[in-house]
Amino acid sequence: MCKYRRCLPAALALLAAIGFSGFQELNAQEIPADTEASATVPLKEFQFETIVVTADAIDDEQQEIESRELRTHKVVDLAEILSDELVEVQMIRKSGYGNEVSVRGFGQENIKVLLDGGTLEGACGSRKDPSLSHINMLTVQKLTLQEGPFDVTKPGCLGGYIDVVTRKPEEGFHGEVLGKVGSYGFQSGGFTTTGGSDKVQWLFGYNYSESGQYEDGDGNRLWSVREGQAASYSDEGRDAKSFQKHDVWGKLQFTPNENSTILLEHSYGKANDILTPRVVFDTEEELTNLTKASWEIRNLGKLSETLTLSVYRNEVDHSPFQEYRNVAVPKNNEVESVISGGAIQNVTETDFATLTYGIDWYHRDWWGDVYNSVTGQKLNDVLIPSVRSLNLGGYVKMDKTFDRLSLGLGLRYDRFRQEADEELKFTSAVTDVNRNVDHLVGGHLSFRYVLNDEAMLFGGVGRSYRTPTSSERYIQGNPKFFGNPDLKPTANTEFDMGFLYEFKGVKVQAKGFYSSLDDYIYQENSVAGYKSYTNIDAHIWGGDVKASVDLSDVFSLEGGIAYQKGVKESFPDNNSDDDLGQMAPLKGMLALNYKSDTTLGRQGSGLFGTVEWVHSNASKNVDADAGEKPLDAWDIINLRMGYRYKSYRFNVGMDNVFDQQYTVANSYEWDVIGGTGASPAIVSEPGRFIYATLGYAW
C-alpha cells in the first residue's frame, strides 16, 4: 500500500491536467447560447427533509441543517443536532454540555469547525470546550457540513468542515422568543430581534441556559462516571449543576447602496461550573468573545462579480478547576486562546467558467499555566508554552458546466509557521526542535454528471492537510508527558463517488470514500518511557446510503445507514493493533414523519410528528493498545411532535423513550490539561429525556 501512496500526489496532478484538457475540449463542443436553455437539464436541489445536497459540482458532499429544524430537537449543544440529523455523524460525548462530533471517522482537530467561514477553536488542550460549544443556537441560520477535501477556500480541513452560518440583520422589525424545558433540570430561554431601514439594519439577542446532571439508562448520575477513578467527585460536586451559560450578541449592518454591504458583529458568552467527568478537571468559568467585520461588494465589473473582505478575532478564556473533586492538592489552570484572521475573496464570471480566488490568514496565540488552588503557587508555567501559530494561504477554484456535466477544479497553497515562546522544559530531553515551517499544496478535481431528470453521479479526488495543534507539538505536562515538535502535518488524499436518484416521491443517495492518510497524528507510549504524539500512515474507508419515500401527502419514511473503518499501515511504539482509534461502528436511522401545513382546516397552522429508530452496532474494531474498549450495540426510539399556529410554535419530544443504557464515545484522546496523558473516562448517554419548546416569532 505504501508504495502506491507515494504515487497519489502525482496521480492528483495528472488528474488536474486531464481536467484542464477536458475543460478545453468540452468547451469546444458547448451548446450555443440560444439553444442551451432548452437542452440543459436544470440544476436541482435534492432535499432529504432537513438535509440539502447542493447541485454544485464541487459541493455534492455538502449538506445543510436549517435553523427551523434546530428548534424541533432538545439541542443542549450543537453537536447533538448534527449527530441526530446525519447518519454519518457520531457524537463524542464528554459531558452534559460541550460535546464534539466525528464525521466519517474524522473527529476533533481532523474535522474543522468554522464560524461564518472563520476559524474557531476552544482554549482547552483536553478539548473540554470544543468549538461548537461557543455558539448559541439562537444565532444560527444553518449548519453546513462539507465532507472530504473538496473546498480549497478553507484552510486545514483534513476530513471536511462544519461551518456555522449565523443570522444576518434584516429590514423592518422581526424577532423570536424561545423557551425550552427538559428533564434533569434543563432550561433555556432567550430572544433575538432584528430590524432597520434599507440603509442600516441591526440584530440583537440574548440567551440563558442551565441543566442539572443527567442520569444514564441505568440511573447513574453524571458524577458517578468518576467513581473508582482519580479525581472523583466530592459531595459538593455530586450536587452541582451540569452547566450554566449566558450568551449575548449583536450585529450592525450598513447597505450604502444595492451593491455594497458592511457588517459588524460581536458575541459574548460566559459559562460557569461546567462538569466534565470524562477528565480530572471541571471548568469554573469560560469567557468567549467573537468579533468580526466584513465588507461585500457586488457587480464591480467584468473582473468581479462579488468581492468579499473580512477580518475576525475569536478569544476564549478558559479556567479549569478541581473544587468539586477529591484530590490531595486541588489545582486550577488559566488558559487563553486568541485567533485573529481575515480573508479577501473575489468571484469572477467569465464566458469560460466561474473563477473564485483569494487569500486568507490566521494567527493563534495559545498559553496555559497551572496553579495550586490553595496557596496560589504557580506549579507549571509552561503547560501550554505561549505557542504562536501563523497560517498564510492562497487558493483558486474553477467551476464549469457543460450541458449535463459539471466540473470543479481547486488548488490551494498554505505556509504554516508554529513556535513556542517559552521553554520546552520536558520536550528538550528528547529534541531541540521548536520552530516549524510547513509548506502545503493541496487541491481537488470533482465532477457531477446528470444522467437524466431523476439521477446524477458525482465524485472526485482531493488532497488536504491539517497541521499539528499547539498541544500536540508543545504541551509540557510533566517529564513523562509532553508534545512532539517534530510532528509533520497530516495529509489526506481522498477519493469519493456518489449517486443521487429522485423520482416522484422517492429519493435515494449513496456515497463511498477512501482516504489515504500520510503522517496521521496519533498518541504514542514511547519505548523510551514517556507519552507523546507521533506520525503514522493509515487509511479510512466507508460510505453511507440515505433514502426517503413519500407515503402520502402527509406521511413520509426516511432512513440511512453509515459505516467507516480505519486501519493503521504503520504503528506507534507499543501499539500493534491494526484498528485506528475513534472509528464509530455501523449506524442506522429510520424515521416515520407526519407533516401537515393545515390543521383542522385552519390556515396558518401546521402539525408535524416523527417516530425515529436509531441503531448502532457494537464497537468491536477498537484500538485496545490505545486504551479503547469494546462497546455494546444499542437501539433507541425518539419521538418528536410540534404544532404551529400563526406566529406561535410548540414542540415536545422524548429521546430514548425506553430509557436504554448506551454509550457512543470511546476512551481514545488523552487528558491533556490533567498533565498526565491519562485515558479519559467513558461517559454514557442520557436516559429518557423529555423536553418542550414554546416559541413566538414576528
Side-chain angles (χ1 to χ4, degrees):
M1 178 65 198
C2 294
K3 66 179 181 180
Y4 296 112
R5 176 190 302 280
R6 290 191 290 268
C7 299
L8 290 175
L12 181 60
L14 179 61
L15 283 171
I18 294 172
F20 271 117
S21 301
F23 280 142
Q24 296 171 352
E25 184 175 338
L26 284 167
N27 191 49
Q29 303 173 14
E30 200 167 355
I31 298 173
D34 57 348
T35 61
E36 185 174 354
S38 60
T40 302
V41 176
L43 302 184
K44 293 184 179 182
E45 184 180 78
F46 296 87
Q47 185 170 347
F48 292 86
E49 190 64 19
T50 61
I51 302 172
V52 178
V53 181
T54 62
D56 203 299
I58 209 168
D59 291 332
D60 279 308
E61 296 295 296
Q62 193 172 94
Q63 302 172 83
E64 299 175 352
I65 302 172
E66 297 185 356
S67 60
R68 65 179 180 271
E69 302 304 330
L70 300 180
R71 285 139 180 81
T72 68
H73 295 258
K74 71 174 191 271
V75 193
V76 177
D77 64 17
L78 293 177
E80 292 184 341
I81 188 69
L82 286 161
S83 178
D84 289 348
E85 285 290 320
L86 301 174
V87 70
E88 66 270 43
V89 176
Q90 187 68 63
M91 168 83 79
I92 301 176
R93 171 68 67 179
K94 299 192 170 185
S95 185
Y97 177 81
N99 301 295
E100 294 194 271
V101 294
S102 172
V103 182
R104 305 202 303 186
F106 293 91
Q108 279 107 20
E109 193 64 25
N110 295 321
I111 186 82
K112 201 78 168 179
V113 174
L114 307 171
L115 179 61
D116 290 320
T119 299
L120 178 62
E121 295 280 2
C124 179
S126 296
R127 304 185 71 89
K128 295 194 302 295
D129 66 328
S131 304
L132 289 171
S133 69
H134 297 285
I135 305 169
N136 187 272
M137 184 266 291
L138 279 177
T139 68
V140 178
Q141 179 63 39
K142 63 181 179 180
L143 301 174
T144 300
L145 172 63
Q146 171 72 48
E147 298 174 345
F150 299 104
D151 188 347
V152 294
T153 67
K154 311 293 192 300
C157 303
L158 187 73
Y161 64 78
I162 299 163
D163 191 7
V164 182
V165 181
T166 60
R167 294 179 169 189
K168 304 299 184 287
E170 301 176 14
E171 295 181 34
F173 182 56
H174 314 280
E176 178 183 18
V177 178
L178 192 70
K180 291 180 175 245
V181 294
S183 301
Y184 317 114
F186 171 65
Q187 54 185 312
S188 175
F191 70 90
T192 182
T193 181
T194 182
S197 65
D198 60 341
K199 298 295 184 183
V200 181
Q201 303 88 41
W202 52 268
L203 182 148
F204 179 74
Y206 168 80
N207 189 80
Y208 172 77
S209 58
E210 67 171 40
S211 178
Q213 300 182 43
Y214 70 73
E215 296 178 359
D216 62 24
D218 286 339
N220 300 312
R221 297 183 66 205
L222 204 53
W223 62 262
S224 66
V225 171
R226 298 299 312 178
E227 286 299 278
Q229 302 193 48
S232 61
Y233 280 94
S234 64
D235 290 341
E236 185 180 6
R238 295 180 181 192
D239 293 333
K241 292 182 182 297
S242 179
F243 70 90
Q244 301 175 70
K245 194 169 191 296
H246 297 266
D247 290 286
V248 61
W249 59 92
K251 301 187 180 187
L252 189 61
Q253 181 171 275
F254 301 93
T255 51
N257 55 61
E258 63 180 8
N259 294 329
S260 184
T261 302
I262 300 170
L263 181 61
L264 308 175
E265 47 192 307
H266 181 78
S267 66
Y268 170 80
K270 181 180 180 181
N272 295 99
D273 297 338
I274 305 174
L275 300 188
T276 50
R278 184 173 167 90
V279 293
V280 300
F281 278 80
D282 301 306
T283 303
E284 179 181 17
E285 184 178 72
E286 190 172 87
L287 303 177
T288 304
N289 284 279
L290 310 176
T291 307
K292 185 177 182 180
S294 59
W295 184 14
E296 182 179 286
I297 310 170
R298 298 170 292 276
N299 301 320
L300 280 175
K302 290 184 178 180
L303 296 180
S304 181
E305 184 75 16
T306 305
L307 176 65
T308 305
L309 302 90
S310 63
V311 292
Y312 62 90
R313 184 179 189 274
N314 298 330
E315 177 180 342
V316 179
D317 296 279
H318 181 68
S319 302
F321 75 145
Q322 293 183 309
E323 181 179 336
Y324 298 148
R325 304 299 185 101
N326 293 313
V327 291
V329 180
K331 302 172 186 176
N332 66 282
N333 299 350
E334 293 297 329
V335 187
E336 181 182 71
S337 169
V338 179
I339 299 177
S340 302
I344 302 173
Q345 178 176 285
N346 190 48
V347 179
T348 301
E349 297 281 356
T350 71
D351 294 337
F352 173 66
T354 299
L355 299 177
T356 303
Y357 48 93
I359 59 174
D360 52 49
W361 64 95
Y362 71 84
H363 175 272
R364 185 184 191 186
D365 190 1
W366 194 14
W367 63 267
D369 299 329
V370 185
Y371 298 84
N372 183 313
S373 299
V374 177
T375 66
Q377 177 187 1
K378 187 177 286 188
L379 302 177
N380 185 349
D381 60 353
V382 290
L383 178 68
I384 302 175
S386 190
V387 182
R388 293 182 292 113
S389 305
L390 175 64
N391 192 89
L392 303 173
Y395 59 87
V396 59
K397 70 170 185 171
M398 179 169 58
D399 299 302
K400 178 65 177 179
T401 298
F402 308 93
D403 192 26
R404 296 177 180 272
L405 176 67
S406 294
L407 294 175
L409 175 67
L411 296 172
R412 181 177 180 92
Y413 167 77
D414 288 280
R415 181 184 186 273
F416 181 76
R417 187 187 71 198
Q418 196 171 44
E419 184 176 13
D421 283 345
E422 299 178 275
E423 178 190 6
L424 303 180
K425 61 182 181 182
F426 303 129
T427 300
S428 60
V430 297
T431 181
D432 294 328
V433 174
N434 182 345
R435 188 173 187 264
N436 285 274
V437 178
D438 303 299
H439 299 274
L440 311 172
V441 179
H444 71 262
L445 179 65
S446 56
F447 77 92
R448 177 181 61 82
Y449 184 74
V450 178
L451 298 171
N452 50 47
D453 289 346
E454 294 83 32
M456 105 176 156
L457 295 172
F458 59 90
V461 56
R463 186 172 176 88
S464 61
Y465 298 84
R466 81 94 158 166
T467 52
T469 67
S470 303
S471 176
E472 291 165 339
R473 268 181 171 164
Y474 299 108
I475 191 76
Q476 302 295 296
N478 61 47
K480 297 295 183 181
F481 173 57
F482 45 81
N484 179 6
D486 290 320
L487 283 176
K488 300 175 184 178
T490 300
N492 173 27
T493 303
E494 183 172 315
F495 301 86
D496 282 53
M497 183 67 70
F499 173 76
L500 198 57
Y501 174 82
E502 178 181 9
F503 180 71
K504 296 183 178 179
V506 177
K507 305 171 189 176
V508 179
Q509 175 183 284
K511 294 184 295 181
F513 75 97
Y514 180 92
S515 290
S516 180
L517 300 167
D518 295 310
D519 297 316
Y520 189 70
I521 297 172
Y522 213 72
Q523 297 172 175
E524 180 178 58
N525 284 298
S526 170
V527 292
Y530 61 85
K531 293 181 178 180
S532 189
Y533 300 89
T534 190
N535 293 116
I536 65 172
D537 291 336
H539 65 265
I540 303 174
W541 62 270
D544 60 79
V545 179
K546 302 172 187 174
S548 71
V549 57
D550 294 333
L551 303 176
S552 69
D553 291 339
V554 294
F555 283 101
S556 65
L557 191 66
E558 63 178 327
I561 190 169
Y563 177 77
Q564 55 278 314
K565 182 174 176 58
V567 179
K568 301 190 194 81
E569 297 173 5
S570 60
F571 299 87
D573 287 354
N574 293 312
N575 187 323
S576 58
D577 195 320
D578 290 336
D579 295 309
L580 201 64
Q582 293 187 303
M583 292 295 117
L586 182 143
K587 176 184 174 184
M589 303 173 70
L590 183 64
L592 176 65
N593 301 310
Y594 173 86
K595 184 177 180 181
S596 174
D597 293 331
T598 59
T599 304
L600 300 176
R602 292 184 176 182
Q603 295 297 320
S605 66
L607 181 68
F608 79 88
T610 296
V611 180
E612 178 184 60
W613 167 58
V614 185
H615 166 80
S616 173
N617 277 7
S619 293
K620 296 180 180 178
N621 299 321
V622 299
D623 188 351
D625 288 346
E628 290 193 323
K629 300 175 182 178
L631 301 177
D632 293 336
W634 53 266
D635 295 270
I636 61 169
I637 300 294
N638 302 321
L639 302 176
R640 293 189 293 274
M641 185 176 70
Y643 176 70
R644 174 183 55 82
Y645 179 66
K646 295 183 178 179
S647 296
Y648 295 91
R649 182 183 290 267
F650 177 66
N651 298 318
V652 294
M654 183 186 301
D655 287 355
N656 193 3
V657 172
F658 297 107
D659 204 19
Q660 296 295 302
Q661 168 70 14
Y662 71 107
T663 306
V664 300
N666 218 307
S667 53
Y668 181 92
E669 183 194 14
W670 282 336
D671 180 3
V672 172
I673 293 298
T676 62
S679 294
I682 295 177
V683 182
S684 294
E685 293 299 293
R688 183 184 299 113
F689 193 105
I690 303 171
Y691 59 94
T693 302
L694 180 62
Y696 175 76
W698 69 91

